[in-house]
Amino acid sequence: MNNIDVVILAAGKGTRMKSTQPKVMHQLAGKPLLDHVIDTATTLKPKEIIIVVGHEETTIRKHYAQTHLTFVSQKQQLGTGHAVSQASKHLTSAKTLILLGDVPCIRPDSIKSLTDCPADVAVLTQILENPTGYGRIIRGDDGSPHMIVEEKDADQKEKQTREINTGIFCVKTPLLKKFLEALTNDNANEEYYLTDIIKYASNQRFSIDTVSPSLDFEAKGVNSKQQLAELERDYQLESASRLMKAGVTILDPMRIDIRGTLTCDSDVSIDVGCIFEGNVRLGKNVSVESNVIIRDSIVKDNSTIRAFSHVDGASIGSFNDIGPYARIRPGTESQTRVKVGNFVEIKSATLDSDAKANHLSYIGDATIGASVNVGAGTITCNYDGARKHQTVIEDNVFIGSDTQLVAPVTVGAGSTIAAGSTITKDVPSGGLALSRTKQTFIADWKRPTKTTK
Ligand code: UD1
Ligand code: CA
């Protein structure tokens, strides 16, 4: 544990988001903005993480009910300085790091270099091409920061400054407490600005230093849906370039979304429009065609997931060929060389090596043996309206098209089910099961015709 406390500001309304949801609960890369900030803060192993909440605070508190975070309320949103004051009594470490709930992409190494900075006050700043909307760092003749001016309070000259305040500070705690007590609200917004602590520190000759993050978008804040979308693309492009550096082929790095962790072995190829959620692992030489969604799954070496397939909570064996348009649901586990074709849904089922289900089937709560062929339109009737039942199909079974397997039912090894059968009883090994009404023929049948008046 380090001798530092972290305060995360998350009480604001986020008016510019035009949403009933609190701003910090909007998602970036599949998780709330605030989650990103908390995860980053946690890497410092601080003594305490204190989150200042206010607007829609019950939603936020509920979301983090299972965690060890400390929450304090800011009843009225009177500014970022006022927000930090609410956490004051929890600040007991030598230093306090202040993070903003709406600046989610700050990386652990950036805050580490800020907290390592020996100055009394350390500010994370960045030079931006377009600084509009951010507080500007105004440096004195000695080159050190003298104050931060908010966009609304800045004159023309100050607005030219491209060095912006990321909103992230690390301050020696006794000093911070002293400065917070001195804050006033004589500015365009009539708010207690945290940024004024720079002016106080400078006037009183305390040491102030700045540190800059290494990536361009780390400092970007989210105030509008436009900025949220821009930051999502920045974040995704960064994830894509990290994968490409590690050797993954990504056909268009602008068209991939990773909402969690994607781990790839060598020679993986990913086509456009794919989404990876949660924890996904792709083995050697795996190919993912376009518009595939994979969530919390593993795909082993040399397998292909074809276009428009969904794979969720599954373990796909090696040399599998899945899709296009397959839906693989949680609890699916396939062995080697399994083939699953278009419009096949599989749930809580195991498929042994060389099993095939190539067209239009539902396989739920089933055990499919090695080299089984599941014909087109086969359905496991696993649900009786109250309970789920198992279907067991042993090795080398051939199931003809349009078969219904009414579970619980077992089909013995090597048997054949004739097309169109409804199987309600266990089938022994090695024979043919057939359940169809006999075909009849009416030779003199007249097809109805339309009558014209
Ligand atoms: C703030 C900074 C600005 C900086 C920018 C970086 C101030 C005065 N301005 O501006 O210099 O460039 O962030 O993104 O600090 N909040 C509260 N309580 C409040 C007000 C805000 O908890 O009373 C929280 C918000 O929920 C938000 C964060 O503080 O997470 C920042 O507030 P916001 O109003 O977005 O400040 P900016 O105008 O972006
Ligand atoms: Ca902001």
Side-chain angles (χ1 to χ4, degrees):
M1 207 191 319
N2 284 314
N3 195 7
I4 189 159
D5 293 309
V6 180
V7 180
I8 303 175
L9 304 188
K13 186 156 182 237
T15 315
R16 291 163 280 180
M17 294 298 275
K18 306 264 163 60
S19 167
T20 52
Q21 240 197 332
K23 173 161 73 176
V24 295
M25 295 314 278
H26 283 81
Q27 300 212 339
L28 181 101
K31 65 181 186 186
L33 301 180
L34 190 51
D35 273 24
H36 289 268
V37 184
I38 293 168
D39 288 351
T40 308
T42 306
T43 63
L44 282 181
K45 299 196 174 65
K47 199 147 91 188
E48 202 166 348
I49 297 178
I50 305 119
I51 304 180
V52 184
V53 288
H55 180 72
E56 292 287 335
E57 64 177 288
T58 36
T59 315
I60 304 176
R61 282 173 184 264
K62 224 155 118 195
H63 184 85
Y64 296 102
Q66 306 302 323
T67 64
H68 295 292
L69 303 159
T70 304
F71 284 87
V72 299
S73 295
Q74 184 194 24
K75 295 291 174 221
Q76 272 182 297
Q77 282 74 63
L78 301 178
T80 47
H82 180 260
V84 178
S85 302
Q86 310 310 303
S88 214
K89 71 168 195 286
H90 293 276
L91 307 177
T92 54
S93 300
K95 283 185 172 186
T96 301
L97 172 72
I98 299 156
L99 300 173
L100 304 185
D102 67 346
V103 181
C105 291
I106 285 292
R107 299 204 317 178
D109 50 340
S110 300
I111 56 168
K112 179 79 176 41
S113 49
L114 194 71
T115 55
D116 284 348
C117 181
D120 296 316
V121 180
V123 197
L124 196 73
T125 73
Q126 191 160 36
I127 311 280
L128 288 188
E129 216 37 69
N130 175 14
T132 312
Y134 291 93
R136 310 295 208 283
I137 307 292
I138 309 299
R139 290 179 182 266
D141 297 335
D142 60 352
S144 78
H146 273 201
M147 59 174 182
I148 295 174
V149 182
E150 291 304 300
E151 173 93 24
K152 277 191 183 166
D153 303 300
D155 61 28
Q156 278 315 317
K157 184 160 171 275
E158 289 164 338
K159 278 185 187 158
Q160 307 287 308
T161 313
R162 283 171 48 225
E163 188 184 8
I164 63 105
N165 168 34
T166 63
I168 294 167
F169 298 86
C170 184
V171 190
K172 289 188 177 158
T173 304
L175 261 190
L176 176 67
K177 289 188 178 175
K178 188 175 114 168
F179 292 155
L180 288 175
E181 276 168 23
L183 290 180
T184 60
N185 67 348
D186 47 358
N187 50 55
N189 276 347
E190 297 190 338
E191 284 184 3
Y192 295 90
Y193 287 167
L194 176 65
T195 46
D196 283 348
I197 66 172
I198 299 298
K199 191 171 62 191
Y200 300 157
S202 171
N203 288 345
Q204 295 170 40
R205 308 247 176 270
F206 287 105
S207 59
I208 307 170
D209 212 345
T210 59
V211 171
S212 288
S214 48
L215 296 175
D216 279 356
F217 66 93
E218 279 187 64
K220 285 193 187 173
V222 174
N223 298 308
S224 63
K225 293 280 167 68
Q226 179 79 25
Q227 286 176 330
L228 179 62
E230 278 171 24
L231 200 52
E232 177 79 35
R233 287 341 304 163
D234 287 335
Y235 182 98
Q236 293 300 345
L237 198 55
E238 169 62 20
S239 304
S241 63
R242 246 183 290 140
L243 286 167
M244 290 187 295
K245 275 181 204 144
V248 178
T249 301
I250 295 179
L251 274 88
D252 182 355
M254 302 295 275
R255 286 184 286 169
I256 180 169
D257 284 82
I258 299 159
R259 301 170 187 161
T261 311
L262 173 62
T263 316
C264 296
D265 216 320
S266 57
D267 295 300
V268 165
S269 162
I270 301 169
D271 209 333
V272 301
C274 294
I275 302 176
F276 299 91
E277 297 179 343
N279 265 314
V280 176
R281 291 185 71 92
L282 304 178
K284 279 192 196 71
N285 219 20
V286 163
S287 166
V288 181
E289 292 187 357
S290 68
N291 299 293
V292 164
I293 301 178
I294 306 183
R295 181 188 302 126
D296 293 320
S297 295
I298 169 164
V299 180
K300 295 186 184 153
D301 299 354
N302 301 300
S303 286
T304 298
I305 312 294
R306 298 196 184 275
F308 294 99
S309 294
H310 288 199
V311 177
D312 183 3
S315 167
I316 305 294
S318 53
F319 291 99
N320 277 209
D321 193 339
I322 309 292
Y325 297 100
R327 183 173 180 211
I328 313 295
R329 293 172 52 201
T332 300
E333 202 182 321
S334 66
Q335 300 301 317
T336 312
R337 291 178 306 274
V338 166
K339 284 189 76 176
V340 176
N342 44 273
F343 306 108
V344 173
E345 176 181 347
I346 303 182
K347 185 217 75 164
S348 298
T350 56
L351 294 99
D352 210 336
S353 298
D354 299 293
K356 287 193 203 73
N358 275 332
H359 333 264
L360 299 150
S361 284
Y362 173 61
I363 299 171
D365 304 297
T367 306
I368 310 289
S371 301
V372 165
N373 184 83
V374 178
T378 297
I379 288 171
T380 53
C381 308
N382 60 331
Y383 186 51
D384 61 12
R387 281 162 305 159
K388 302 277 172 63
H389 301 282
Q390 291 289 322
T391 299
V392 177
I393 300 173
E394 293 177 358
D395 295 352
N396 291 307
V397 164
F398 182 96
I399 302 174
S401 299
D402 194 25
T403 293
Q404 298 104 56
L405 298 149
V406 182
V409 71
T410 297
V411 181
S415 269
T416 301
I417 310 283
S421 294
T422 302
I423 301 299
T424 54
K425 287 193 294 239
D426 287 354
V427 175
S429 298
L432 173 73
L434 175 128
S435 89
R436 295 178 187 153
T437 44
K438 273 232 161 64
Q439 189 165 323
T440 51
F441 185 69
I442 302 165
D444 59 353
W445 185 71
K446 290 277 175 291
R447 191 185 294 170
T449 48
K450 283 182 186 161
T451 48
T452 43
K453 275 189 222 155

